[in-house]
Amino acid sequence: MLDGFASLERSADQPWDLVIVGGGITGAGILREAVRSGRSALLLEQGDFASGTSSRSSKLVHGGLRYLKQGQWQLTRHSVREREALLADAPGLVDPQPFAFPVFRGQRPGLGVTRFGLGLYDLIAGKRRSRRLAWDELQAWAPGLSTRDLAGVLCFEDARTDDARLVLRLLQEACAAGARAYNYSRVTGYMEEGGRITGLHWQQAGGPSGSLRARNVINASGAWAQSLGGAQAPRLRPLRGSHLLFDAKRLQLPAALSFLHPDDHRPVFAYAWEGAALLGTTDLDHPDNLDREPQISDAEVEYLLKAARFAWPGLKLGRADVIASYAGVRPVVDSGAARPSDESRETAMWQQPGLLSVTGGKLTTFRLTALEALAALEGGRPSRPPRIFDPAPAPDCPPACEPQTWQRLRGRYGAALERLMTLAQPGDFARIGSSPTVWAELRYAATHEAVRHLDDLLLRRSRLGLVLPDACRAQMPRIRAVCQPALGWDDRRWGNEEGAWYRRWHGHYSLPARDS
């Protein structure tokens, strides 16, 4: 459970082996491995859990063909192996994602070189997953795909996830094992004695403040790591990646499609996700203040729509077809590369007595990053545990729940599924709109997952705010009926939260006004 927001003051009464700053995938992974190794560990997040990059990624668990092309063999190898471990460990949370990759005449690399690269990708994974599609398979894999100048289509397999739920499962397991995690708790400074960091000062949003003592502090604050990382922090290059979401009936995607943009030949992709169709991504320098929520720009909207019209010319996709958008900022170490896409996604770590900072890296390799960080504190070598997650319970699927939904719930909630089941009421296993989310998930989140604001519920505990049109307005009456009692909000508080949600959605998750 992630409840216990008010108990942070009581946590100050004891010294901790480890305090982690940052509640994204890196911090959550470190917290899980820290408590697994027997450390007393606590995590602080200045916003909501996963509210930064870790709920705004491309949702792909993959080895990274692009990194293979750039010669980053070690990164690709680690990523592919962690992908396989996640697929085996968390079905329903991390699931296979088949890809179709069209190659057009005149494209570089061409069909032969691309097929060779996919063969290497298979070799690293230890499983053959790629082949060339026969022409009579094309409609089943990529309906509506442009065949003009098409040299051939290759297919391969990676994986997809719900990135925010991946973070929450790690936090839930860590807390069940004795760790503590607090959202909306900002670190305001470090405590130092004799040249060593010995703890930190914190301030809760609209609440108390205090201090925590710790043997070690790990700064895993992502794009904010430079400001909290001391004098030795490397220069970061925040990069924005933006995405569009479409109604899945408008853009039907039996398999994911990965292809090169006609303008700059960067890889873009589209695939079915959470009942919608997701198209991404951009890769641009993000000079804005990091404390301001990122938003897709008008130029990025047009860039992605041009890619869509290139791949599916018959659909004539336009702005009116977009149901939502989102943008995230990637924390990348600045190596001086000319193009943002050429910057390395390797993890960066730097250290001073009592404080280790870590940033960069990939969603897929969060466990390796966590193990390396913990090993760096002790000056040792990381050892990989046999599992990423605890084994999920295997109760029988209740009659009211579809088997596919049951697999999904087991993957997302693990051992917490039993608690979710005890809260479920008649009708709670019905899907919400066109999404695969069921009402039981909202009821559980409102009761046990530290929801402080309505956008926590609609953007991260569930993804309804992204995949249902018009900011979930049609579903809001029942969302209120299910969640308001569990949250303990009176009518005035609910009204304020609902108004703030609509303003936030229109300001950051719809489309921006067109540039003049």
Side-chain angles (χ1 to χ4, degrees), residues 27-49:
I30 294 171
L31 186 72
R32 181 67 192 96
E33 295 304 328
V35 73
R36 197 197 302 269
S37 67
R39 294 174 172 89
S40 61
L42 178 146
L43 179 146
L44 301 177
E45 162 57 43
Q46 66 174 344
D48 187 28
F49 302 120

Side-chain angles (χ1 to χ4, degrees), residues 316-487:
K316 296 181 172 57
L317 292 167
R319 298 172 73 97
D321 298 303
V322 176
I323 60 173
S325 71
Y326 68 91
V329 179
R330 308 178 183 103
V332 175
V333 176
D334 189 355
S335 66
R339 298 191 312 164
S341 296
D342 293 335
E343 294 284 12
S344 172
R345 267 52 174 180
E346 295 277 6
T347 300
M349 293 187 190
W350 62 100
Q351 200 166 2
Q352 66 188 78
L355 174 65
L356 173 72
S357 296
V358 54
T359 192
K362 284 164 47 64
L363 176 76
T364 309
T365 53
F366 71 85
R367 175 174 65 155
L368 300 184
T369 300
L371 296 172
E372 289 170 7
L374 293 173
L377 292 179
E378 308 296 338
R381 294 177 60 85
S383 58
R384 186 182 303 189
R387 296 186 63 93
I388 298 175
F389 295 107
D390 294 335
D396 293 336
C397 178
C401 186
E402 299 175 356
Q404 185 177 359
T405 297
W406 189 242
Q407 172 86 328
R408 181 179 186 277
L409 294 175
R410 287 188 63 200
R412 279 162 167 70
Y413 296 93
L417 179 57
E418 294 179 351
R419 191 178 299 117
L420 182 149
M421 290 291 297
T422 63
L423 290 174
Q425 296 183 13
D428 270 5
F429 290 107
R431 296 187 180 192
I432 305 174
S434 58
S435 82
T437 301
V438 296
W439 294 101
E441 295 180 75
L442 296 192
R443 195 181 303 278
Y444 175 78
T447 306
H448 287 306
E449 291 193 327
V451 171
R452 309 301 169 203
H453 298 287
L454 191 54
D455 61 273
D456 300 340
L457 184 74
L458 298 178
L459 291 176
R460 289 170 291 276
R461 307 304 182 275
S462 76
R463 314 317 294 269
L464 298 176
L466 294 177
V467 301
L468 297 183
D470 197 23
C472 309
R473 201 176 295 269
Q475 290 78 22
M476 195 61 72
R478 186 170 177 188
I479 292 173
R480 179 174 185 171
V482 168
C483 298
Q484 185 178 354
L487 291 167

Side-chain angles (χ1 to χ4, degrees), residues 259-281:
F259 58 99
L260 301 184
H261 196 283
D263 285 350
D264 57 6
H265 308 292
R266 281 189 60 257
V268 293
F269 56 83
Y271 65 98
W273 181 75
E274 291 293 296
L278 188 153
L279 173 67
T281 179

Side-chain angles (χ1 to χ4, degrees), residues 295-310:
Q295 179 188 11
I296 193 170
S297 68
D298 183 64
E300 288 173 291
V301 173
E302 293 305 317
Y303 175 88
L304 292 173
L305 286 176
K306 185 170 184 178
R309 289 190 287 264
F310 167 77

Side-chain angles (χ1 to χ4, degrees), residues 30-96:
I30 294 171
L31 186 72
R32 181 67 192 96
E33 295 304 328
V35 73
R36 197 197 302 269
S37 67
R39 294 174 172 89
S40 61
L42 178 146
L43 179 146
L44 301 177
E45 162 57 43
Q46 66 174 344
D48 187 28
F49 302 120
S51 59
T53 310
S54 297
S55 62
R56 303 164 184 267
S57 76
S58 295
K59 327 297 185 193
L60 293 174
V61 175
H62 64 114
L65 283 170
R66 177 162 63 90
Y67 311 128
L68 186 63
K69 178 183 175 183
Q70 294 170 346
Q72 297 179 16
W73 299 90
Q74 187 87 324
L75 179 60
T76 305
R77 176 175 171 269
H78 288 159
S79 299
V80 167
R81 294 190 176 185
E82 287 300 288
R83 178 196 69 190
E84 295 302 305
L86 284 162
L87 283 167
D89 233 20
L93 176 59
V94 181
D95 295 308

